[in-house]
Amino acid sequence: FILNTIIGTVEMKMSSINYKDIDPTKITSGASLKYRKFLMNVDFEGEVRSNDPEAIALAERTIKAVTDNAINGAGLDSVKLSNVIGKTLCNSDATEKLMINAQFNSLFESIRTNLEDEYERLMAIWVEEGSIPENKPLDPFNVIATIDVSGSMQAANVMNPAILLGIIVTKLSKLGNTFITFSTAPTLITINPDDNIFDIFLQVKNSGWGGSTDIDKANRKLAGMMRDYKKINPDFSGQVNHIIFTDGQFNKGFCTGWYDSLVTFSYYDYSEAFNVDKDTDVWNTAVNRMEKYFTNHDLSMPNTVFWNMNANSPGFPTTGDMKGLQLAEGLSHGMLVSILTNACEYKEDENGVMKASISPVESFQKTIYHPYFDEVTKMVHSTAEGVYATESNRLFAANFIEFVNS
C-alpha cells in the first residue's frame, strides 16, 4: 500500500476516485487494457458509468490520447490482447474498440521497430565482415504466414493468439500482406494493413477454414505465389520466411506421405512415421517433399518455422539438425524478432537444395545467447550457485557462449 501510494499507481487513484490526476498517456500497457472501461467512463454494458465531470474529463483525455497515438501498448501481453479482441468482436462500443485498436497499433509498431533495429545490426556486421553476398542476412520482412484455425485450434483455446500473430506477421510482410489458410483447400487471403484490428481479425476468422490441415497443398500454394512474384521480379530467389502457426496436428501424410488417410497424425506414436530406414516408402516426410518441390520449381526452400501454439500437443515435424527449418512453441509474440532474424544466409546442400543455413538447435542457441542477454548471463555466472558453483562449469559456459557468438 505504501509503495503504491508513493509511486502513484493508477489503481490507487482509481480506488480514491481521483480522476483528475490520472494521465492516460502515463499508464502502463497492461493497466490501460485492463481498466479501459474505467478510463472510457463506460460500464460493462457500454453505458455511461458516471456523471461526475472529472470522470467525463478523464474519458475525453483518454480518447484524445488514443487519437493522438499516445496510449501505451508496446508492453502488452499479446495473448491477453488477442482474447480481448476475440471477445470484443461483436461489441458495439466504438470507443472501447478505438482504444484496443490504438493499443494494438502501439504493440505492432514496437515489434516492427525492434525488427528493423535487429536487421540493421545484422547488416552492419555483414558489411564489417566484407559484404560477402552468400552471407547476407535474410530480410525478415520477406515473410508469409500460414494460419491454422481448424477445430483442434479452437478446442485447444489457441485460435485467438494464432490469428493475432498471423496478422502481425502479415502486416510486417513486404510480400503483399497476404496469408495462407491452413485447411483441406488452402487459399491466399489478402488483408488491408490500414484496416482496424477488429476488421482484420474478423476477416481472418471468417476465412474459408475447415477439414484437415494439408501441409503439401499449403506449400504448393506458397510456391505458386512465389512463382508469380518471380515473373514480376526475375531476380527473386524465393529466400523468404514462412511461419506456420498451428497446434502441431497435421494430416497423417505429413510424415508418412499416405494421402489416403484423413486421420490426424498423433505425435505420441511417431516411431512408424520416423522410420530410421530411409530407403523405405514410409520415410517421405513433408520436409523432404518440400525440398524437392521448391527445388524443382527453381526456388529456394523458404526458411520454414513450425510454430506450435499448443504446448499440450508436442510435435516432431523435423529433427534438430535439419537445415532450413526452425521450431518455436508458445503463444506470445516475444520470440518473433529472433525467429525472423536467426536465418542469416542461404547455402546449397549436397542434394542441390538452396536453403537457409539454420537448424532448430542453432536457432535456439542464437536466441538464448543473443548479445542482449550478455549482462544477464554475467549476473547468473556471478552467483556461483547451482551448475555455476564450480569454476570449471563457469569457464565452460563462458567459452560455449563465446563459441556460439563467434
Side-chain angles (χ1 to χ4, degrees), residues 67-96:
T67 54
D68 291 346
N69 295 317
I71 208 80
N72 291 319
L76 275 176
D77 179 337
S78 59
V79 180
K80 291 181 180 178
L81 177 61
S82 69
N83 288 326
V84 167
I85 293 171
K87 291 177 182 178
T88 318
L89 279 177
C90 299
N91 191 323
S92 60
D93 186 352
T95 56
E96 183 180 6

Side-chain angles (χ1 to χ4, degrees), residues 62-189:
T62 302
I63 293 174
K64 185 178 187 308
V66 167
T67 54
D68 291 346
N69 295 317
I71 208 80
N72 291 319
L76 275 176
D77 179 337
S78 59
V79 180
K80 291 181 180 178
L81 177 61
S82 69
N83 288 326
V84 167
I85 293 171
K87 291 177 182 178
T88 318
L89 279 177
C90 299
N91 191 323
S92 60
D93 186 352
T95 56
E96 183 180 6
K97 287 186 175 181
L98 189 67
M99 184 168 181
I100 295 171
N101 183 67
Q103 287 203 279
F104 167 77
N105 289 338
S106 177
L107 173 65
F108 174 76
E109 288 303 324
S110 72
I111 294 172
R112 176 156 56 188
T113 298
N114 290 338
L115 195 57
E116 288 172 345
D117 290 346
E118 179 63 7
Y119 184 45
E120 287 177 7
R121 186 185 74 85
L122 294 174
M123 287 295 291
I125 294 174
W126 177 67
V127 171
E128 185 179 327
E129 293 178 348
S131 302
I132 302 171
E134 55 267 31
N135 293 340
K136 187 176 182 180
L138 176 62
D139 188 340
F141 295 96
N142 283 342
V143 60
I144 188 165
T146 290
I147 311 173
D148 181 1
V149 191
S150 61
S152 60
M153 295 285 283
Q154 183 71 58
N157 200 30
V158 297
M159 183 183 291
N160 288 338
I163 290 177
L164 190 67
L165 283 175
I167 289 172
I168 290 171
V169 168
T170 304
K171 280 172 64 73
L172 287 170
S173 179
K174 291 180 177 179
L175 304 178
N177 298 122
T178 298
F179 69 91
I180 302 173
T181 63
F182 202 4
S183 62
T184 302
T187 56
L188 292 170
I189 306 290

Side-chain angles (χ1 to χ4, degrees), residues 343-390:
C344 285
E345 66 270 350
Y346 264 70
K347 293 183 180 179
E348 186 174 309
D349 69 7
E350 64 275 10
N351 297 317
V353 180
M354 185 64 73
K355 60 173 67 172
S357 184
I358 189 74
S359 69
V361 170
E362 290 166 339
S363 174
F364 173 75
Q365 291 173 332
K366 278 191 172 186
T367 299
I368 63 172
Y369 293 117
H370 192 284
Y372 291 159
F373 302 132
D374 284 353
E375 294 305 314
V376 176
T377 302
K378 291 176 184 177
M379 182 66 71
V380 173
H381 284 188
S382 68
T383 64
E385 297 175 350
V387 295
Y388 300 111
T390 65

Side-chain angles (χ1 to χ4, degrees), residues 244-312:
I244 303 173
F245 295 106
T246 180
D247 61 350
Q249 298 299 293
F250 302 102
N251 288 5
K252 191 170 184 178
F254 180 89
C255 289
T256 63
W258 296 334
Y259 298 105
D260 58 341
S261 173
L262 292 178
V263 179
T264 300
F265 177 69
S266 169
Y267 287 116
Y268 293 105
D269 183 23
Y270 57 85
S271 57
E272 180 183 40
F274 280 86
N275 192 321
V276 294
D277 183 2
K278 296 186 180 181
D279 292 330
T280 68
D281 292 334
V282 174
W283 188 267
N284 180 26
T285 69
V287 174
N288 298 142
R289 300 194 296 274
M290 189 191 311
E291 291 178 340
K292 294 177 182 177
Y293 192 82
F294 284 95
T295 301
N296 290 342
H297 286 86
D298 195 29
L299 294 167
S300 299
M301 189 180 89
N303 172 45
T304 304
V305 182
F306 295 103
W307 193 313
N308 186 2
M309 308 291 292
N310 184 10
N312 293 321

Side-chain angles (χ1 to χ4, degrees), residues 182-207:
F182 202 4
S183 62
T184 302
T187 56
L188 292 170
I189 306 290
T190 301
I191 66 170
N192 181 351
D194 297 324
D195 282 347
N196 70 70
I197 185 58
F198 292 96
D199 289 343
I200 300 175
F201 204 95
L202 198 60
Q203 179 187 0
V204 176
K205 200 165 186 176
N206 289 340
S207 298

